[in-house]
Amino acid sequence: MAAKESEKSILLVGLVCLDIVSTCDEYPQEDQDKRALDQRWQRGGNAANQADVLAQLGMKVEFLGSLSDGNGADFAINTLQTRGISIGNCVVHKGFGFPTSCVTLSLATGSRTIVHYRQRGFPDVSCEDFIRLDLGNYHWVHFEARRDFSEIHKMLDLVDAFNLSRQRSDRIRISIELEKKHEKTLSLLHRADIVIISKDVAEYLGYDTGSAAVKGLYGGIKTGGILVCPWGALGADGMDAHGEMVHSPAYPPHQLKDTLGAGDTFIAGVFRSLYNGCRLEDALKLGCKLAGYKCGIEGYDGLGEVWAQINQ
């Protein structure tokens, strides 16, 4: 039996990994031996980070990703469970090393440089994993488009088929984040109600501003869909379901400390706002404000309290 609306979750499908974060006064030069000011372990992965923030913003959240065994996996899993995020449908692939990112944060510029490693053969979530879910338990499904686009299309087909069997009020909202530069990126553009195009993908497609990317790509999305393109320090642009172009400036903190995960925080803020019924313009502003605050702190703790303040 399908869950009641109040019991349904937002499901985020994508990567969880271990981030080993080193903070430096400035980014090291090539072949330089440099001492870090600080180092910490932190859970990473776009979808996992978004799940963390959305849980703090008061949503019921489930994460679906590929796990392995070992200390790194145990650490990352614990950070999700501590937030009350369901991970019961994740698949554990024993014998693999856990995906790991080595991150260097530069206090001089606020930049973060990431070197990511995943063991060859370590699988992403597949349609075989996804088909086991009871889609009646979700009001929203979000996909982080990573490598195997054919599997994502199959999973989207399952959600589409589910929606066709339901009344409009009981259908699942679909969102997709297109963050990786990939030749098949545009094949997913029309598959979701909400599409997030990263700056990297926009530049890969030949656009030099967020507004240009939104204007150029909006014709390819689903009728009545929403397209958003965040552009870091220049804020974010979007086009709503009526074809109206909107923009939000960035809201940088007084002092940059940690930009790692700022984009994930922005996306979570936008999703929560849209779920609350906000106009896209207001959703972009709230997302940018939350992301700006996040850039002034280390990690993600306390974002729920900030969200309550900026929504007053």
Side-chain angles (χ1 to χ4, degrees):
M1 180 180 295
K4 297 178 182 179
E5 182 61 31
S6 60
E7 299 172 346
K8 293 183 180 181
S9 303
I10 178 171
L11 173 71
L12 296 104
V13 183
L15 175 69
V16 60
C17 66
L18 172 67
D19 286 349
I20 302 175
V21 184
S22 298
T23 301
C24 298
D25 54 357
E26 60 183 8
Y27 190 76
Q29 300 176 15
E30 186 175 355
D31 203 29
Q32 180 182 12
D33 184 354
K34 189 172 185 61
R35 183 179 295 275
L37 303 175
D38 181 60
Q39 188 176 84
R40 68 182 188 273
W41 278 25
Q42 182 173 292
R43 180 224 54 258
N46 289 21
N49 291 341
Q50 292 154 15
D52 182 323
V53 180
L54 283 168
Q56 292 190 65
L57 304 189
M59 294 190 77
K60 185 177 181 182
V61 181
E62 178 175 342
F63 172 77
L64 178 63
S66 293
L67 306 177
S68 68
D69 45 15
N71 292 336
D74 292 343
F75 172 85
I77 292 166
N78 182 64
T79 66
L80 296 174
Q81 292 178 317
T82 299
R83 298 288 193 206
I85 297 165
S86 174
I87 61 166
N89 288 309
C90 290
V91 179
V92 178
H93 303 277
K94 294 186 177 181
F96 284 93
F98 195 58
T100 302
S101 293
C102 294
V103 184
T104 302
L105 298 179
S106 167
L107 294 180
T109 63
S111 67
R112 84 287 183 276
T113 302
I114 304 171
V115 178
H116 181 70
Y117 172 75
R118 60 188 296 154
Q119 187 175 343
R120 187 177 298 277
F122 184 78
D124 281 328
V125 174
S126 69
C127 187
E128 183 179 346
D129 304 325
F130 190 83
I131 202 170
R132 299 189 184 102
L133 304 178
D134 180 354
L135 292 179
N137 291 327
Y138 311 108
H139 57 73
W140 189 324
V141 176
H142 173 69
F143 294 92
E144 175 192 354
R146 295 192 55 77
R147 297 182 302 169
D148 198 337
F149 279 54
S150 63
E151 289 296 301
I152 296 174
H153 278 291
K154 292 176 186 177
M155 289 185 270
L156 286 164
D157 289 342
L158 291 173
V159 182
D160 286 344
F162 174 88
N163 281 342
L164 286 174
S165 69
R166 296 298 192 275
Q167 295 181 354
R168 184 173 297 275
S169 61
D170 195 36
R171 292 175 182 172
I172 295 171
R173 177 180 283 185
I174 303 170
S175 57
I176 297 177
E177 180 188 10
L178 302 178
E179 193 215 23
K180 303 298 182 185
K181 295 179 283 189
H182 195 287
E183 61 183 8
K184 295 183 179 180
T185 292
L186 293 182
S187 71
L188 290 169
L189 195 61
H190 69 289
R191 297 300 310 264
D193 305 299
I194 304 166
V195 179
I196 311 292
I197 295 280
S198 72
K199 178 182 176 182
D200 282 350
V201 169
E203 291 179 330
Y204 171 72
L205 295 173
Y207 299 101
D208 57 4
T209 65
S211 60
V214 169
K215 290 175 183 176
L217 296 171
Y218 184 76
I221 71 168
K222 179 186 293 188
T223 301
I226 291 172
L227 181 62
V228 173
C229 184
W231 211 270
L234 297 182
D237 293 277
M239 197 167 284
D240 65 17
H242 306 291
E244 180 181 352
M245 189 77 186
V246 295
H247 173 77
S248 172
Y251 295 87
H254 294 299
Q255 180 181 0
L256 281 173
K257 289 187 177 180
D258 179 8
T259 59
L260 182 64
D264 300 327
T265 303
F266 165 79
I267 290 172
V270 170
F271 285 179
R272 180 54 168 158
S273 301
L274 293 175
Y275 180 74
N276 288 349
C278 289
R279 299 179 308 152
L280 180 60
E281 182 176 9
D282 295 328
L284 295 187
K285 288 181 178 179
L286 288 168
C288 284
K289 287 180 179 180
L290 189 67
Y293 177 86
K294 186 266 160 291
C295 290
I297 63 171
E298 290 185 352
Y300 303 93
D301 289 345
L303 293 178
E305 291 79 0
V306 174
W307 183 251
Q309 295 172 13
I310 64 178
N311 274 274
Q312 289 179 350

